[in-house]
Amino acid sequence: LNTVEQIYGAGQGYLGEEEEDLMQNRSYILIDVPQAMTTFQGTEVFGAGESGGVGMGVAKAIADAPATAHKASAIIDLLSGQFKAVYGGSYQEGVTRRTVVNVPTGSTFRAEAIFGGAYGLYNEYPCDVYESNVNWNSSDALVGGYRTGIYGGNNNCRRTFYSHVNINAPVYYDKANEYYATVYGAGFGKDTWAQYTEVNLNNTARVYEVYGGGQLGRVMNKKSVDAWA
């Protein structure tokens, strides 16, 4: 049986060559798979590349302006399907200027976890996101468990500088029994860190627990990072 382990919005890259962050300005992934299909339950989705980021070659004024920020972004729309995990950034190396992971109204998407940041395979290689955004707008989508779910930061290692998580609907991991998932502003692993996190619970938002920090991940300013490293 053929399987797809990973889906990338950017190129493969090569570990150790940081100039690859300048090779792609933007990416877009649309996940719209028949909900009953189980083929992708073990598949991970990355907005950036395996060893390359997105958007770092775009002029700062363009990347910073709300009207043109999409020109320096890795954007993922999750409509339907069963997947393992979603990452706004890259897998083992690469710096991404801005990530946007959207779960739109009416989405039936399911995953074990959603990260606005990257995976971060090694601490020795930059696998970072400058600005992450996760927008949850569906009461029909499912993610995580009661202690896991949505993360603004990275999974394993490295950093997300500025994370924003916007919850505009209940975040279920089991809707039939009204079991809610947990939301974190920062990352999962103990070797992840963020410098600023923001979690907004709006409208009809319901979660099990919400944390501005990470599950094991840290929130630290530059002085603290230098001391910790």
Side-chain angles (χ1 to χ4, degrees):
L1 177 66
N2 293 327
T3 60
V4 176
E5 294 184 356
Q6 295 171 326
I7 295 172
Y8 294 101
Q12 180 180 11
Y14 187 80
L15 194 64
E17 294 186 358
E18 296 179 18
E19 63 271 18
E20 289 161 345
D21 295 337
L22 305 176
M23 295 180 66
Q24 186 165 332
N25 289 344
R26 67 174 95 175
S27 70
Y28 177 69
I29 296 176
L30 171 64
I31 300 296
D32 189 7
V33 175
Q35 195 60 47
M37 183 180 290
T38 59
T39 306
F40 301 103
Q41 284 182 331
T43 301
E44 296 176 306
V45 180
F46 297 84
E50 182 180 46
S51 294
V54 169
M56 297 307 293
V58 177
K60 185 177 185 300
I62 295 174
D64 287 349
T68 54
H70 64 280
K71 296 182 178 181
S73 299
I75 299 173
I76 304 173
D77 285 339
L78 305 171
L79 270 63
S80 61
Q82 302 180 48
F83 285 74
K84 181 178 180 180
V86 178
Y87 303 88
S90 51
Y91 173 47
Q92 58 182 4
E93 184 183 16
V95 180
T96 298
R97 174 60 182 80
R98 180 174 178 265
T99 70
V100 183
V101 181
N102 295 315
V103 180
T105 302
S107 167
T108 56
F109 183 82
R110 298 182 182 183
E112 294 176 16
I114 292 175
F115 296 85
Y119 182 85
L121 194 59
Y122 311 104
N123 254 330
E124 295 77 12
Y125 296 96
C127 191
D128 305 337
V129 170
Y130 181 77
E131 175 195 340
S132 75
N133 300 273
V134 179
N135 301 308
W136 181 277
N137 295 292
S138 178
S139 61
D140 297 316
L142 303 177
V143 66
Y146 79 101
R147 289 287 188 187
T148 60
I150 297 173
Y151 302 83
N154 284 22
N155 184 345
N156 186 57
C157 293
R158 299 296 303 180
R159 62 188 167 180
T160 295
F161 285 90
Y162 302 96
S163 78
H164 307 87
V165 180
N166 300 304
I167 306 299
N168 300 302
V171 184
Y172 293 107
Y173 76 88
D174 180 347
K175 184 173 181 179
N177 292 298
E178 292 194 346
Y179 293 157
Y180 299 98
T182 296
V183 175
Y184 300 90
F188 170 75
K190 65 180 180 63
D191 291 324
T192 67
W193 71 97
Q195 291 187 202
Y196 171 91
T197 72
E198 182 179 305
V199 180
N200 297 304
L201 301 182
N202 305 313
N203 304 326
T204 57
R206 293 286 299 274
V207 301
Y208 178 70
E209 292 177 333
V210 58
Y211 297 89
Q215 188 162 354
L216 297 174
R218 308 160 188 256
V219 179
M220 301 186 290
N221 61 21
K222 186 179 186 303
K223 185 175 181 179
S224 298
V225 171
D226 293 340
W228 172 57

